[in-house]
Amino acid sequence: MFALPPLLPSTRAPVRSLARSLACVALIATGALVALATWYPGHCQVLLLLLPAVWSRARGRASAVAIWIGYYLAGARDIPLVCMRFFSGYGDLTRPEALMLGVSFWIAQACVLATPWAVLKPESDASATRHALCAAVATVLVTVPPLGIIGWLSPAYVASTLFPGWKAPGLVLGITAIACAASVSRGRFARQVATVLVILSLLARGVASAPVVPSRWTALDTRLGRFDQSSYASLYARTQQVQTSAQRAFSEGATVVVLPEEIVGLWRPAMGYWWRNDIQAFAAARRTLIVGMDLTASRTPLRYTDSAVVVGADHGRLDSRQPVPAALWRPSAAVSAIRGSLSQPYVTVAGKSVAFSICYEDLLWWPHWRILQQSPDVLVSLSNSWFDADLPLAHIQRQGVAAIARLSGVPLLRAVNR
């Protein structure tokens, strides 16, 4: 029998290159599948542990980062379409221009968020401790600013599934679980820690209970679409629609009503006049309205806060700690939202302490640091989703804020405009 001749050196390199390319494609596909199974249409956040596990076994930085590229591209797949709708809807860009900008954002965010995983990838023969430490550090880097400003889809969300109600310790244990996933196949100690984490997770899930929203608190979902603020006629029409919705909810027995983010747009003197009688009536009847609006901070350049404002029987305000980058938060532009302080305290409404999550904050961990340390009575989320209500992003956003509420052990009340 004739033996096949060995591959010539000139043919081995292309074969190895092809094999590496196919491996990267497979890893990108794996990351994408994890994103789909974890987030919408899937809802299994424990699968996030697969990412560091596969990452730690990959050979070379290119292979290691591929799984994260696939994960972030699939999880944030709506960015191009959202940009097209948002920027063309306000006339900032044409639809093709906005779509191309969105594609650029989509690719850039995946590369940026995958970078820590590439830089921190240990050598294949590195110790289990080094793999665990690098995975934990990378998780923190993509969860807190500056990278955390776009820190959606953080693997830290696994903490809410594993340790519901355990607040900051639960988040720390969740990051520890990520570290274990990256090192469990490399050392006995990591397997022992993983066993302890499984026991603690079963305990946490066993004793967890579903928090209950305070009685007679109501969040109103509206279908008013994009707000045209170009004329007083459109301003007044929207005001009447919002007032009618609030009055109807109060007439049905609610004592606290929550309306969506920016539902009344930029607060102007005319708005104060149109709302004056209603606010006085709410106060007299011991009723409270929580409404999303923009409040002017300076005229030139125009700076405003994206805020949740409490009126009626109670008074208070919380400004968004992170308005949507590029869409609302544009520090160098002539018009931009500004960020509220991270030290803003809870607002008291009807004797209850209230934490807020305003739109984009639903996707982030770091604006909610206080809720992981001190338990409020309720988490109120306000969102304006006229540009993405029919897209997976809207479901992913709801999953994100629900995970924050679940880890903190507080009830969630959410108002969305579509």
Side-chain angles (χ1 to χ4, degrees):
M1 297 180 66
F2 293 99
L4 293 174
L7 291 175
L8 296 175
S10 60
T11 63
R12 290 175 182 171
V15 170
R16 286 196 297 267
S17 178
L18 176 61
R20 285 195 294 267
S21 298
L22 291 175
C24 285
V25 170
L27 288 168
I28 290 173
T30 300
L33 289 174
V34 170
L36 294 176
T38 300
W39 305 101
Y40 189 82
H43 290 80
C44 190
Q45 292 176 349
V46 72
L47 292 177
L48 288 170
L49 294 176
L50 289 176
L51 296 171
V54 176
W55 167 81
S56 70
R57 303 302 297 177
R59 292 184 177 274
R61 283 190 168 87
S63 296
V65 78
I67 187 171
W68 293 99
I69 290 284
Y71 172 71
Y72 287 117
L73 286 176
R77 60 194 178 276
D78 289 332
I79 288 178
L81 189 54
V82 165
C83 284
M84 184 186 71
R85 291 179 178 180
F86 186 90
F87 290 109
S88 65
Y90 282 113
D92 294 330
L93 299 170
T94 66
R95 289 173 68 86
E97 290 172 341
L99 180 61
M100 290 305 299
L101 179 65
V103 171
S104 300
F105 284 161
W106 178 51
I107 295 173
Q109 62 86 30
C111 293
V112 168
L113 293 172
T115 295
W117 298 97
V119 173
L120 293 171
K121 176 65 173 74
E123 297 297 328
S124 298
D125 58 353
S127 66
T129 300
R130 182 168 177 79
H131 277 84
L133 180 61
C134 288
V137 171
T139 300
V140 172
L141 288 176
V142 299
T143 304
V144 303
L147 296 187
I149 290 175
I150 57 169
W152 44 63
L153 308 175
S154 169
Y157 275 107
V158 75
S160 65
T161 295
L162 296 178
F163 307 103
W166 282 25
K167 304 182 181 65
L171 181 59
V172 173
L173 289 174
I175 295 175
T176 304
I178 292 170
C180 282
S183 59
V184 70
S185 63
R186 297 176 177 275
R188 181 179 177 184
F189 179 71
R191 289 191 287 273
Q192 293 172 338
V193 174
T195 301
V196 173
L197 290 176
V198 169
I199 295 172
L200 291 176
S201 177
L202 292 174
L203 174 63
R205 292 168 63 87
V207 301
S209 58
V212 179
V213 173
S215 176
R216 300 174 71 185
W217 286 47
T218 300
L220 298 183
D221 289 339
T222 57
R223 294 185 176 275
L224 301 179
R226 182 177 67 85
F227 191 3
D228 177 11
Q229 302 187 69
S230 62
S231 69
Y232 276 96
S234 62
L235 288 172
Y236 186 61
R238 171 61 71 92
T239 299
Q240 288 186 309
Q241 290 174 307
V242 175
Q243 288 173 333
T244 299
S245 297
Q247 291 164 355
R248 184 183 302 115
F250 284 128
S251 67
E252 293 173 354
T255 57
V256 176
V257 172
V258 181
L259 291 170
E261 177 214 18
E262 293 187 317
I263 196 64
V264 299
L266 184 66
W267 191 258
R268 311 163 193 246
M271 305 289 286
Y273 176 76
W274 294 333
W275 276 95
R276 183 179 57 188
N277 292 339
D278 288 75
I279 292 174
Q280 290 175 349
F282 297 156
R286 304 302 301 164
R287 295 168 175 169
T288 300
L289 180 69
I290 301 175
V291 57
M293 65 178 69
D294 296 333
L295 299 172
T296 302
S298 68
R299 296 288 179 181
T300 306
L302 179 58
R303 295 291 181 263
Y304 63 91
T305 60
D306 182 5
S307 304
V309 178
V310 181
V311 297
D314 298 286
H315 300 278
R317 162 183 171 184
L318 185 130
D319 303 328
S320 173
R321 292 141 295 191
Q322 183 56 70
V324 186
L328 300 183
W329 184 58
R330 298 182 280 189
S332 62
V335 179
S336 174
I338 58 175
R339 296 192 293 180
S341 171
L342 280 174
S343 63
Q344 295 173 90
Y346 295 146
V347 177
T348 300
V349 177
K352 306 289 187 181
S353 60
V354 178
F356 286 96
S357 181
I358 300 179
C359 195
Y360 181 67
E361 295 174 344
D362 291 348
L363 297 165
L364 308 175
W365 275 112
W366 56 271
H368 305 287
W369 67 273
R370 189 185 300 275
I371 199 175
L372 296 178
Q373 294 184 336
Q374 307 165 5
S375 295
D377 295 306
V378 61
L379 172 60
V380 171
S381 169
L382 291 74
S383 184
N384 200 332
S385 298
W386 63 266
F387 50 87
D388 68 357
D390 60 332
L391 300 176
L393 177 59
H395 299 275
I396 293 171
Q397 183 177 342
R398 184 174 66 246
Q399 283 179 260
V401 71
I404 293 167
R406 182 165 59 249
L407 182 62
S408 58
V410 303
L412 173 65
L413 193 61
R414 192 161 188 259
V416 182
N417 177 58
R418 294 176 172 84

